[in-house]
Each structure stands twice: as C-alpha cells, then as structure tokens.
C-alpha cells in the first residue's frame, strides 16, 4: 500500500463512525477541510503537515497529542477536551477556544503553542494557567478576564492583543514584543519583562517619556 493510499484510508476512517478512538497513531498529510468530526478520541497521536481548516470538531478528546506544521485556521472546538496537547509550527487563526470544555478547577493549561500563528483567537475569561505561547505570532488575541498565571509569552509578537482584568502574575514576557498592558487594569506581580520593550508598560501612566 502506498503512503498516499494509507493517508486516504486514515482520512476516511476519521470521517466515518468507526473507529471512535485512536491510540498512538501517526497521521501525515491529511486533507480534512470544512469537515465535521464528532465524538472522536485521540490518545498520544501525532498529526503532521495536515490541513483541518474550517473543520468543526464536536465533543472530541485530544490527550497528549502533537500537531506539527498543520493548518487549523478557523476550526471549531465545540465541547472538545484537550490534555497536554502541543501545537508546533502550525496555523490556528481565528479559533475561539472558549467553546472548548475546560476543567472546572485551575490546573496547568492543557494546550501549548510553539512557533505558531494564533492571530484573531480568543481565550477570554478562561483559566489558562501556565499556558505556553512561545515564539508565536499572536496578533489581535483576546486575553481579557483570563487567568494567565505563570504563562510563558516569551519571544512572541502580541500586536493588538487584548489584556484587561487579566491575571499575568509571574508571566514571562522575555523577548516578547508589541504588547500593550495597562498596569492598573491587569495583575502583573512578579511578571518578567525585557527593556526596552517594557517601556510600553509606562504608557498607562499618562506620562511623557524623554530620550
């Protein structure tokens, strides 16, 4: 069986009702755009070079999964659950993460992003403690009212992202750029910032900065 035929079989099995659970599977070059995937469970699975753009995931579970170089832009994650899932070098533009099912207690964030594009996404009001968004492009992302305690935003471009009533205590903004954080409207105790970018924090003080 050729690699292409095997990939096509995997594609069909994902859409069909059976099986509903995948364990330690390695999926490559799946093309599942604008599909609907319902009540599937993926444990320790890897997805490489796959396109899921505009696909709707409904009540799916992802446990210890790894997405590498995938396109997940405009996916829907309605009532999905994630546990220790890593997205690496992938596009996740326009994802509303508030639609997923999150733990009721404040645990370590179940998703991580490395070298991803997550523009126009929303984490509004979520408890995403210790979330890792490292070396990412995170333009226009909504973190308002979120609990980002000990989050790692290092080396990330946060242009026009929204922080208001956000818990950023002990968050890491080392080498992050373009963030606008009002120190009166957010909790930043113990957070780490680099100069000269940290000068952006002074904008909320209504003072004039001189060269």
């Amino acid at each position: 069986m050729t690699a292409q035929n095997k990939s096509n079989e995997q594609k069909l099995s994902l859409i069909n009702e059976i099986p509903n659970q995948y364990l330690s599977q390695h999926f490559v070059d799946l093309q599942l755009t604008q599909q609907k995937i319902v009540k599937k469970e993926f444990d320790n699975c890897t997805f490489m070079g796959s396109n899921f753009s505009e696909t709707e995931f409904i009540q799916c579970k992802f446990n210890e999964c790894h997405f590498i170089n995938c396109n997940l832009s405009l996916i829907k994650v309605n009532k999905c659950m994630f546990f220790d899932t890593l997205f690496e070098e992938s596009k996740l533009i326009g994802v509303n993460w508030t639609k997923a099912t999150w733990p009721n207690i404040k645990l370590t964030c179940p998703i991580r992003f490395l070298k991803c594009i997550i523009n126009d996404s929303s984490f509004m009001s979520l408890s995403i403690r210790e979330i890792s968004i490292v070396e990412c492009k995170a333009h226009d992302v909504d973190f308002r009212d979120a609990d980002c305690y000990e989050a790692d935003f290092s080396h990330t471009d946060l242009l026009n992202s929204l922080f208001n009533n956000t818990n950023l205590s002990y968050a890491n903004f080392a080498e992050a750029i373009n963030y606008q954080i009002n120190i009166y409207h957010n909790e930043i105790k113990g957070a780490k910032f680099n100069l000269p970018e940290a000068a952006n924090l002074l904008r909320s003080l209504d003072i004039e900065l001189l060269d």
Side-chain angles (χ1 to χ4, degrees):
M1 180 184 296
T2 67
Q4 183 61 47
N5 288 338
K6 184 176 181 180
S7 177
N8 287 337
E9 280 196 2
Q10 290 170 333
K11 174 180 176 179
L12 291 172
S13 65
L14 277 172
I15 297 174
N16 293 331
E17 290 297 322
I18 300 174
N20 287 325
Q21 185 175 22
Y22 297 83
L23 177 63
S24 300
Q25 296 292 309
H26 189 75
F27 300 102
V28 180
D29 296 328
L30 292 178
Q31 298 299 315
L32 285 170
T33 62
Q34 298 180 327
Q35 300 294 323
K36 184 175 290 187
I37 300 175
V38 182
K39 294 183 179 180
K40 303 293 183 181
E41 185 170 343
F42 302 92
D43 290 293
N44 193 32
C45 291
T46 301
F47 303 85
M48 292 189 65
S50 298
N51 188 356
F52 296 96
S53 60
E54 298 186 68
T55 282
E56 185 173 2
F57 294 93
I58 302 173
Q59 293 181 284
C60 293
K61 294 182 180 179
F62 298 88
N63 183 44
E64 296 184 351
C65 290
H66 192 180
F67 291 83
I68 307 170
N69 192 29
C70 292
N71 184 1
L72 298 113
S73 294
L74 299 176
I75 63 167
K76 291 181 172 61
V77 290
N78 297 332
K79 297 183 180 180
C80 289
M81 300 183 70
F82 297 86
F83 305 92
D84 195 20
T85 295
L86 172 62
F87 300 94
E88 182 177 356
E89 295 185 337
S90 296
K91 292 174 62 177
L92 299 105
I93 297 172
V95 179
N96 186 354
W97 293 100
T98 69
K99 297 298 184 179
T101 297
W102 296 82
N104 291 325
I105 57 177
K106 295 183 178 181
L107 300 173
T108 301
C109 187
I111 55 176
R112 294 172 288 143
F113 304 93
L114 175 62
K115 298 181 179 179
C116 291
I117 302 174
I118 62 169
N119 299 346
D120 301 298
S121 296
S122 178
F123 298 93
M124 186 177 182
S125 300
L126 292 179
S127 177
I128 47 176
R129 289 188 162 210
E130 300 181 41
I131 190 171
S132 181
I133 303 176
V134 174
E135 296 185 56
C136 293
K137 182 181 287 186
H139 294 183
D140 300 285
V141 177
D142 194 347
F143 295 102
R144 291 176 296 171
D145 297 306
D147 185 357
C148 299
Y149 181 89
E150 288 191 344
D152 189 354
F153 296 103
S154 58
H155 299 272
T156 289
D157 184 353
L158 292 156
L159 183 67
N160 295 327
S161 285
L162 300 176
F163 296 93
N164 189 66
N165 195 33
T166 307
N167 182 7
L168 297 168
S169 299
Y170 302 98
N172 182 14
F173 286 89
E175 306 300 332
I177 61 173
N178 293 324
Y179 48 81
Q180 300 292 333
I181 300 172
N182 189 310
I183 63 175
Y184 293 117
H185 297 163
N186 298 278
E187 177 59 62
I188 62 170
K189 178 182 178 181
K192 299 176 182 178
F193 300 93
N194 279 113
L195 289 172
E197 197 70 26
N200 286 329
L201 299 174
L202 301 178
R203 293 173 184 252
S204 59
L205 297 178
D206 193 24
I207 62 176
E208 182 179 356
L209 296 176
L210 302 176
D211 293 333

